[in-house]
Every structure is written in C-alpha cells, then in structure tokens.
Amino acid sequence: VPDVSTYARILLLTEGNLGVFTSKTATVLLRFRGEDVVAVIDSAFAGQDLGKIIPNSPARPILARVAAAADLQPDALFVGIHPAGGALPPTFRQQIVAALHAGIDVVSGLHTQLAQDDEFRTLAERSGARVVDLRRPPEERRIATGRAKSTGCRRVLTVGTDGNVGKMVTALMLTRLARERGLDARFVATGQTGIMIAGKGVAVDAVIADFAAGAVEQLVLEEGDGELCFIEGQGSIGHPGFSGVTLAILHGACPDAMILVHHAGRTHHRTAGAGPLPPLRAQWQAYESAAALLHPARIVGVALNSHGAAESVVRAEVERIENEFSVPVVDPLRDGCDALLSAVFED
Amino acid sequence: VPDVSTYARILLLTEGNLGVFTSKTATVLLRFRGEDVVAVIDSAFAGQDLGKIIPNSPARPILARVAAAADLQPDALFVGIHPAGGALPPTFRQQIVAALHAGIDVVSGLHTQLAQDDEFRTLAERSGARVVDLRRPPEERRIATGRAKSTGCRRVLTVGTDGNVGKMVTALMLTRLARERGLDARFVATGQTGIMIAGKGVAVDAVIADFAAGAVEQLVLEEGDGELCFIEGQGSIGHPGFSGVTLAILHGACPDAMILVHHAGRTHHRTAGAGPLPPLRAQWQAYESAAALLHPARIVGVALNSHGAAESVVRAEVERIENEFSVPVVDPLRDGCDALLSAVFED
C-alpha cells in the first residue's frame, strides 16, 4: 500500500452525503489535512458554501463532477464517507470511473475492495492510475508478545465508552498540539480514516482475530523512536461486538496512559440492539484492570464529545466525572487538549 | 461445511508426531471420539501399542500407510496434529494423497486450506471424496449485540491463564458428565479440534476481528434450547497476542459462570517472548470485571491441569487457590469434574 499522505491535491468524494453522519471521513480529512484538499465532489451540494455545511472547514469549492476539477490538477480522489457495512454506494461509481479515466488515483477505506472491481481495474490499467484500498489486513501475520511496552516512547491510547465517540479526533488533536509544543509526537492509525490522515497504519477491524494485537504492536514498535505516541483506539471494552478489537489494541500497544472518550448524554451503544453503555466506573475499572495485566496504565483524563448535547447535560457530565474520578474533563473541540496533554505527563 | 461428527470409521493421521505435544488433536479425538476411530496412521510408530504412547487410549492399530487400513473400511482421514503456524507438514502429503485416491474424505483443522491445493482438489474430484477444512470463517458476518445473555440455557465458559492449558478438555468433560446425569448439555466449539469432536462450531481465531464475538453469539443462540451450554474458551485475557479473541468469546457467549483453567507450575506464557503469566488474582478480577460489563459471571471453580507437574507443586497450588478464592480446585483428569459441575449450579 503506498503512503497516501503524499497526495497534496485531493478531491474528496461525498456524493450526496456531505454533512451527514456518514461523511465523518470527509470532515476529519478537512480538519486534519485541509491543506491537501483542493475540492469536494458532491453533485447534491455543488456550488454551496462548504463552511456552512461543515463548520470551520477551509474554503474549498464543492463541484458536481470530477471533470469540473480538471483545472485544479488533482492527484487523488479520496472516498470521503464510511457507510454502515462498508459497501460502495452505487451513486459513487460514475465519479470513480471518471477519476480513473482521467488518470487520477482513487483511495478508499471501504470494506468493498475497489481494486477487485473489474471496471475499475480495467480503467486503472488503461490510464496508469492506482486504486488504493486501505481496509486490507497486512500481509504479515504476527502474534503480539507485549514488546511495545519496552519502547522508549511515551505511549498514550484513546479508549472509548462506545464506538464513534471521537477517539481518533482526540488522538489527532493531541498529536498536533504536542508537535506545536516542539515534541516528536507520532500518531498510530488503527482505522481507515486515520490511515488517510497519517499515510500508514492498519485497519484493525479487518485483521484476522489472532493477528490483530500483533499488527498494532508492529505499528507501535515502528514509532518507538518518538517522544510521544498517540494510538487511536477502536470500539469499546463494553461493546458486545467490538470489545475484542478494543482489547487487542490495548494489549498490542501497552500504553503508559489512557484518555477516555465519552459522548455527553449517550446512554446506549450506537450499534442497534447492543444495549446500554455499562456504568462509567465499571468501564474505567475494566480498562485499567485489563491494561495492568501487561503494563499498568491509568485513565488520566476524559475527552467529552459534546456534539448535539444540551449545554446543561455537558456541564453536569463534566462535574460528575471530575468529582468522581479526579481527572481533567474537556471537550477537545471547544476547550482544546492542553489539559489532557498535561495529564499525560503528570501521571 | 458438513457435520464431521457423522464419520464413524476415522483414520487419525499423526505421521511422525504421535505422542508429542503437537498431536494434542489426536489425543483429544481418541479420548472423546475413540469409538469412531478405527486406526492411527503413523509410519514412525507402526505396529506399536497405542495405549503405551497415549495413556488410556482405546486399543487401536497404528498403521504405516492408509492403504494398510483398507480392510477397516474407513470413511475419513482426520489430520490429527496442530503444528505451530498451522501449515501442512510435507511428510503428510503422501498419506492424504492416498486417502483421496481411495475415495476417503479428508478433514483438517490446519490454517493451510487443503481444499485449495491443486493436487488434493484434482484427486478429490476424480474419486468423489471431500476435503473438509474446518478452520474457515463462517460466510455470514455478524456483529454481536449481547443477545446470548437472554437464552434460557445456563451458559458456562472455560477461561484460562494461558493458551494450551485444557479449556477444551475441561468443557468436554463437563459436557459428558452433565449428560451422564441426564441433563441436556451442549458443547460449543470455538477451535478446530473442538469442531472435530462436536461436528460444528467456528474456529474463532480465523475470523476477522470485528465478527469474532458475533460468530460465538450465533453458536450460543443455536444451543439456547438446552439446559446447560459449555463454551470452550480460547487464549487468555492476559495473553498479549490472544486476549482480543478471549474477550470476544466472553462477550459473545455472555456466560452465567466461568471455570478457570490453569496449568500447575506454569509461570510463563507458552508463546515465545510473551512474558510471565499475570498474577492469578489480577486475571481473576480482569475476567469478572470484563464479564460484568455485559452480564455478571463469577469464576466458580478452577480446573488445575497437573500434566508434568510435581505432586508437591500441584498440592501447593490447590491449597493456595482454595484458600485465596474459596472455590473448588480439581484436576479434571484425575479427580473428575463433579465438584466443578456442582459449583456451576450453586452460583
């Protein structure tokens, strides 16, 4: 898989999904690689003001078709959505066809492997464009042995009370802040959107179960010469479907400290039927008990995602968590990550 | 995948590995499906007394070649070893070729998929024999939601302080004992050897990480109409490489009670480099904390594997664990599982 962080003139494809929940990938790319994005491709929103749809995004045109972006000399089309199930929405096909026809590389984090699509492959071979599927397990199959704990780097894992709470964004913001402070901070991507930002990483949820921790361990070892390493967690230790992936990342990374990410007011897992979130204290203990089996790590701070929550709910949550656990609680997007970064060093 | 429990005239292939550690699969098959085995195929031990090599095994001939077993009218050749890495040892090829040539089905739990081998496939097509690979993920991909906890069946999971301690054997012995007592007891296989015994199940370590718990949940739901359900655990919650699989099974199965399996005197994980076993108390708490996130379950008894341990070590371990945790501690092979089965009902 090529390093997708080297693309510098990206078209972001959201085709009809701009601003809705599934376009999280696009939102994150605009926030953390905005300088590498030259336009958004979405025929449903063409001509509108991007900043009004995705607050704080850089000023970029929204175009109806890939062909309309020719003057911008794009070097890649990134699939900017992550639909449930991970299949390619049929409406995306024509835009991808147009990109490959024009010799523009296509980068995707979908479960569906675009490189195995006959039409895409034929077009890519003809034009010399590449189709890059990020959601593929690494060729090498490793069994983790806990070696990550002996790297000199200070390792920080973002863990969550559910999926889709902001673990990746928190890790990315901490990485950016630490770099602004002059630290050699690394980001370890464990999901497809993280890989689009970092240029490397492994989509752990696509790895065969026995090798999931080993894949993460390898990524952490590769960053072992940094001063700080922020590892993006996945799922949640109390999620019936994803807890195995969560623990594989915890034991693959052997963090020195954890940041817990919670969505204010969320009481139930987003996955339909997966039931209520376990009590915060029980999750807290489960994370720290599990970590301690290999390498002790405390939860040193809480990132509280306040998206869509009433101000009173957010205030009550902050107060409750600070009182009960005596750690800093901040909303990264509103308050910044300074308090969390300090907490990482105090522990 | 066909139901491999219907084979009743099995040849067990160990070819040079009989009695060594890797032939665990053969040993377990002889113990739990001995009545379905007609001979062992192993040219290095041909003509020797099977009972002297594998204690307590039924009297069966050890033959040098598949052809020598023709009079026994075998219906399948089971690959009876599980080498590290899971690849097919080259010395096994000729025996498998001979079986397929003679129209005898071949059943394998190796990582290497025998059905994709050109020579085997051609021979099987010609003779009408089947090649059955058990270590394949199910076609369906499910995300677990914790539904197992609402089945009427009493669910008991065997968990371990390491891999290869006896979780499967303990679950199988408990199942057998419960059936002898007239209970409708089910066994849920989560590994290839368990599947060879039960005829169905999923090799969880071969499933993509996101779907591992979902596969187990589905198996448990299918046995939900039984009185008791013994689920075979895998790995260990403190094993750096396998803890993710362990937790996926725990949350997929939502047990009502757990039996902890420990190997007397073992201080380090068997996986090279994976370090010391975490303290028993820390593991105990981690298992119960993790279970409680979805459905509370206590460890109600300990199965102490005494294989190769000095009598004094075993006695000391029994005393220490009984004193510290106030649960019954037995060696299933020596003491039977009565105390463990009682404990399952007392909790």
Side-chain angles (χ1 to χ4, degrees):
Chain A
V1 177
D3 179 351
V4 298
S5 70
T6 60
Y7 293 111
R9 306 194 61 76
I10 296 169
L11 300 177
L12 256 184
L13 177 62
T14 60
E15 194 53 28
N17 289 268
L18 194 61
V20 306
F21 180 69
T22 49
S23 73
K24 180 180 118 177
T25 302
T27 306
V28 171
L29 278 162
L30 285 166
R31 181 176 298 141
F32 293 98
R33 283 189 72 181
E35 71 281 10
D36 296 329
V37 176
V38 295
V40 170
I41 306 294
D42 195 320
S43 62
F45 296 90
Q48 294 190 28
D49 181 348
L50 183 59
K52 288 205 174 136
I53 302 170
I54 299 180
N56 304 315
S57 66
R60 297 290 182 271
I62 306 176
L63 307 172
R65 294 176 303 114
V66 170
D71 289 351
L72 299 170
Q73 300 182 291
D75 55 10
L77 177 77
F78 277 42
V79 177
I81 68 158
H82 176 44
L88 181 72
T91 54
F92 279 47
R93 178 167 289 274
Q94 277 317 305
Q95 304 278 19
I96 292 171
V97 163
L100 294 175
H101 190 72
I104 300 168
D105 290 0
V106 170
V107 176
S108 160
L110 297 169
H111 256 307
T112 306
Q113 303 289 294
L114 301 190
Q116 279 164 31
D117 181 285
D118 283 339
E119 184 180 16
F120 296 157
R121 197 171 43 206
T122 306
L123 279 169
E125 276 165 15
R126 207 175 289 160
S127 72
R130 288 186 299 188
V131 179
V132 182
D133 288 303
L134 298 178
R135 205 163 191 173
R136 289 179 52 198
E139 295 288 321
E140 242 176 322
R141 296 171 160 205
R142 297 168 190 270
I143 306 280
T145 58
R147 287 186 299 156
K149 71 180 170 214
S150 53
T151 55
C153 197
R154 186 154 187 83
R155 301 171 308 282
V156 181
L157 174 66
T158 54
V159 296
T161 58
D162 192 13
N164 284 311
V165 288
K167 294 180 287 288
M168 175 182 58
V169 166
T170 302
L172 285 167
M173 289 186 71
L174 280 162
T175 307
R176 179 185 276 183
L177 179 64
R179 287 177 184 164
E180 286 169 7
R181 299 263 176 89
L183 292 162
D184 178 2
R186 314 291 176 87
F187 170 75
V188 166
T190 59
Q192 64 280 0
T193 305
I195 300 172
M196 285 184 178
I197 305 291
K200 57 182 175 179
V202 171
V204 178
D205 61 3
V207 179
I208 286 174
D210 252 9
F211 310 111
V216 174
E217 181 172 279
Q218 183 57 28
L219 293 174
V220 171
L221 291 174
E222 287 168 9
E223 306 300 339
D225 57 331
E227 287 175 275
L228 264 172
C229 178
F230 294 100
I231 302 114
E232 166 198 9
Q234 297 288 342
S236 173
I237 198 153
H239 188 294
F242 304 137
S243 59
V245 169
T246 303
L247 186 57
I249 295 173
L250 176 56
H251 282 166
C254 291
D256 297 303
M258 295 180 278
I259 301 288
L260 181 67
V261 187
H262 177 59
H263 189 179
R266 192 181 300 189
T267 57
H268 283 68
H269 290 293
R270 275 270 166 91
T271 307
L277 303 191
L280 196 60
R281 174 163 291 279
Q283 295 195 56
W284 199 290
Q285 285 171 343
Y287 275 121
E288 293 189 347
S289 296
L293 294 171
L294 288 192
H295 182 70
R298 288 201 316 120
I299 293 172
V300 299
V302 171
L304 190 68
N305 174 347
S306 66
H307 183 75
E311 183 58 34
S312 59
V313 171
V314 175
R315 264 204 305 268
E317 290 260 42
V318 169
E319 198 168 318
R320 177 175 78 91
I321 300 171
E322 282 185 344
N323 284 342
E324 190 171 348
F325 298 99
S326 304
V327 299
V329 181
V330 301
D331 176 353
L333 294 183
R334 208 162 46 172
D335 312 324
C337 283
D338 301 71
L340 298 179
L341 186 58
S342 299
V344 162
F345 284 107
E346 279 162 20
D347 190 52
Chain B
V1 177
D3 180 350
V4 298
S5 70
T6 60
Y7 293 111
R9 305 194 62 74
I10 296 168
L11 300 178
L12 255 183
L13 177 62
T14 59
E15 195 52 28
N17 290 269
L18 194 61
V20 305
F21 180 69
T22 49
S23 73
K24 180 181 121 179
T25 302
T27 306
V28 171
L29 277 162
L30 286 165
R31 180 176 298 142
F32 293 98
R33 284 189 70 181
E35 71 282 9
D36 297 329
V37 175
V38 294
V40 170
I41 306 294
D42 196 319
S43 61
F45 296 89
Q48 295 190 29
D49 181 348
L50 183 59
K52 289 207 173 134
I53 302 170
I54 298 180
N56 304 316
S57 66
R60 297 288 182 273
I62 305 176
L63 306 172
R65 294 177 303 115
V66 170
D71 290 350
L72 299 169
Q73 300 183 290
D75 55 10
L77 177 77
F78 278 42
V79 176
I81 68 157
H82 175 43
L88 180 73
T91 54
F92 279 47
R93 177 167 290 273
Q94 277 317 306
Q95 304 279 18
I96 292 172
V97 164
L100 293 174
H101 190 71
I104 300 168
D105 290 0
V106 171
V107 176
S108 160
L110 297 170
H111 256 307
T112 305
Q113 303 288 295
L114 301 189
Q116 280 164 30
D117 181 285
D118 282 339
E119 184 179 17
F120 296 157
R121 196 171 45 206
T122 306
L123 279 168
E125 277 166 14
R126 209 175 288 159
S127 72
R130 286 187 300 186
V131 179
V132 182
D133 288 303
L134 298 177
R135 204 164 193 173
R136 288 180 51 198
E139 297 286 322
E140 243 176 321
R141 296 172 160 203
R142 298 167 189 269
I143 306 280
T145 59
R147 287 187 299 156
K149 71 181 172 215
S150 52
T151 56
C153 195
R154 186 154 187 81
R155 301 171 308 282
V156 181
L157 174 66
T158 54
V159 295
T161 58
D162 192 12
N164 286 308
V165 288
K167 293 180 288 288
M168 175 182 59
V169 167
T170 302
L172 284 167
M173 290 186 70
L174 280 162
T175 307
R176 179 185 277 182
L177 180 64
R179 286 177 185 164
E180 286 168 9
R181 299 265 176 88
L183 293 162
D184 179 1
R186 315 291 176 87
F187 170 76
V188 167
T190 60
Q192 64 279 0
T193 304
I195 300 172
M196 284 184 179
I197 306 290
K200 58 182 174 176
V202 171
V204 178
D205 62 3
V207 179
I208 286 174
D210 252 8
F211 309 111
V216 174
E217 182 173 279
Q218 183 57 29
L219 294 174
V220 172
L221 291 173
E222 286 167 9
E223 306 301 338
D225 57 331
E227 288 175 275
L228 264 172
C229 179
F230 293 100
I231 302 114
E232 165 198 9
Q234 297 289 341
S236 173
I237 199 154
H239 189 294
F242 305 137
S243 60
V245 170
T246 303
L247 186 58
I249 294 173
L250 177 57
H251 282 165
C254 290
D256 298 303
M258 295 180 278
I259 302 288
L260 181 67
V261 187
H262 177 58
H263 189 179
R266 192 182 298 190
T267 58
H268 284 68
H269 290 295
R270 276 270 166 91
T271 307
L277 302 190
L280 197 59
R281 174 163 291 278
Q283 295 194 57
W284 199 289
Q285 286 172 343
Y287 275 121
E288 294 190 347
S289 296
L293 294 172
L294 288 192
H295 182 68
R298 288 202 316 119
I299 294 172
V300 299
V302 171
L304 190 68
N305 175 347
S306 67
H307 183 75
E311 184 58 35
S312 59
V313 170
V314 175
R315 265 203 306 267
E317 290 259 40
V318 169
E319 198 168 316
R320 178 175 77 92
I321 300 171
E322 283 185 343
N323 285 342
E324 189 171 348
F325 298 98
S326 303
V327 299
V329 181
V330 301
D331 176 353
L333 294 183
R334 205 162 49 173
D335 312 324
C337 284
D338 301 70
L340 297 180
L341 187 58
S342 299
V344 162
F345 285 106
E346 280 162 19
D347 191 52

